[in-house]
Amino acid sequence: MPNINWFPGHMAKARNQVQEKLKQVDLVLEIVDARIPEASRNPMMNQIVGQKPRIMVLNKQDLADPQATARWLRYYQDQGFAALAIDAQHAKRLNQISALARKLMAAKLEKQKARGIRNPSLRAMCIGIPNVGKSTVLNRLVKKNIAVVGNRPGVTKNQQWLKVDDSLALLDTPGILWPKFDDQLIGQKLALTGAIADSVFQEDTVGLYGLDFFQTHYPQALRRAYQLTADDMALSAPDLMVVLAKKLGFGDNYNRAAERVIFDARQGKFGPFTLEVPDDDAEGL
Ligand code: G4P
């Protein structure tokens, strides 16, 4: 993936900002895109978050392949995380976050109760790379954006806490954590799902990656979307792109066809999809 630089200096700054704020929370909600759960993670996330209890939140569930999502949930649970798939945009399953947080932190809540705290509450922080839906999650969870000023020991004065319910408060997301887009395949996945700006990738490469992917993994959906024949489907992806350009009225403008494939994938024209499954080999799904 050319033209994309991953700045170690920026990374270090964001990492420090997050780690500073981590001290103030009981648990972390790591938000990822359910279509690319690993590609949409910051490569240093495990180091950054360390042992802090974590809920892996697979957002954009509505856009992802349900079977793949089920596999990913098991995968993260097997790694010792709590995990949940949600659709923040349509406010689906969001209410399960608080319940899952209480379950994950049951021992701590019990301890607080034993110390005489009548309504113990938890503090959490949403983290994730840009575009996974952190703001949407926050806005939907908090509804009216009620800001609560921190008044507990160890909490920075005037720290804004967003109240989800009586037992959960969220800290606004700190810093920007970037994905690992210096890896070509990861970059393509991020581009196809719209996680990175169009100006930083080559559309023909990403479009071709997408076409090849759908041709291999979701052939029926691709066929239906563009009314392709069995012969079309038997072509190599580059040859199919040439056919598609003609079919779409773009003549021999291959790039416009590639752009269209990207656009249509993001719009859901091929239905829900997931670009990677757990324990992938280097070739992706
Ligand atoms: P961020 O804070 O992590 O950067 O992400 P943000 O909430 O801004 O969400 C990025 C995009 O993803 C937004 O779309 C948002 O609407 C969309 N989104 C968030 N959660 C979901 C989800 O569960 N399902 C679907 N389908 N989309 C989701 P946008 O096109 O950038 O903006 P807009 O169309 O909402 O104006």
Side-chain angles (χ1 to χ4, degrees), residues 59-60 62-63 86-89 129-136:
N59 188 36
K60 309 198 186 186
D62 53 314
L63 304 177
I86 64 164
D87 166 2
Q89 193 165 46
I129 67 162
N131 266 318
V132 289
K134 296 177 298 300
S135 322
T136 310

Side-chain angles (χ1 to χ4, degrees), residues 23-244:
K23 294 179 191 156
Q24 302 173 28
V25 300
D26 302 303
L27 73 153
V28 165
L29 309 180
E30 184 181 344
I31 320 280
V32 297
D33 184 324
R35 293 169 295 176
I36 45 169
E38 282 298 302
S40 63
R41 296 181 84 184
N42 174 279
M44 289 180 2
M45 196 59 94
N46 286 345
Q47 277 163 270
I48 294 173
V49 177
Q51 294 307 308
K52 191 72 78 177
R54 198 178 336 169
I55 302 180
M56 293 300 300
V57 180
L58 277 63
N59 188 36
K60 309 198 186 186
Q61 179 190 22
D62 53 314
L63 304 177
D65 182 327
Q67 285 182 359
T69 300
R71 283 182 67 179
W72 278 112
L73 289 175
R74 275 200 305 278
Y75 171 81
Y76 289 122
Q77 284 156 355
D78 288 348
Q79 291 194 353
F81 301 122
L84 177 68
I86 64 164
D87 166 2
Q89 193 165 46
H90 308 99
K92 291 212 175 109
R93 295 165 59 84
L94 270 170
N95 55 357
Q96 295 191 18
I97 289 181
S98 180
L100 194 55
R102 283 198 301 277
K103 195 172 155 202
L104 185 65
M105 303 301 296
K108 179 174 175 130
L109 290 171
E110 277 312 311
K111 238 192 224 165
Q112 289 189 354
K113 269 191 192 156
R115 287 213 314 264
I117 300 169
R118 245 191 303 151
N119 293 311
S121 74
L122 296 168
R123 291 168 293 176
M125 186 166 87
C126 280
I127 51 181
I129 67 162
N131 266 318
V132 289
K134 296 177 298 300
S135 322
T136 310
V137 170
L138 272 173
N139 289 333
R140 297 279 195 276
L141 266 181
V142 176
K143 288 162 200 128
K144 286 186 207 134
N145 275 341
I146 314 154
V148 189
V149 177
N151 57 0
R152 298 190 187 88
V155 173
T156 313
K157 219 174 161 206
N158 296 332
Q159 176 70 63
Q160 298 268 289
W161 290 89
L162 305 166
K163 191 173 164 183
V164 176
D165 56 31
D166 286 341
S167 59
L168 184 65
L170 290 180
L171 190 57
D172 208 350
T173 313
I176 297 182
L177 293 166
W178 295 106
K180 186 175 162 56
F181 41 33
D182 53 351
D183 173 302
Q184 174 122 359
L185 181 59
I186 293 179
Q188 287 172 345
K189 291 175 181 176
L190 290 163
L192 191 65
T193 53
I196 51 179
D198 292 1
S199 55
V200 294
F201 60 82
Q202 287 176 326
E203 274 153 351
D204 54 344
T205 317
V206 174
L208 189 61
Y209 159 71
L211 190 65
D212 193 9
F213 175 83
F214 288 107
Q215 197 181 1
T216 310
H217 298 285
Y218 299 94
Q220 295 310 328
L222 185 71
R223 234 185 125 161
R224 261 197 312 275
Y226 298 130
Q227 280 103 48
L228 299 170
T229 64
D231 285 347
D232 294 336
M233 292 299 287
L235 294 170
S236 69
D239 288 345
L240 181 57
M241 192 68 92
V242 172
V243 168
L244 195 58

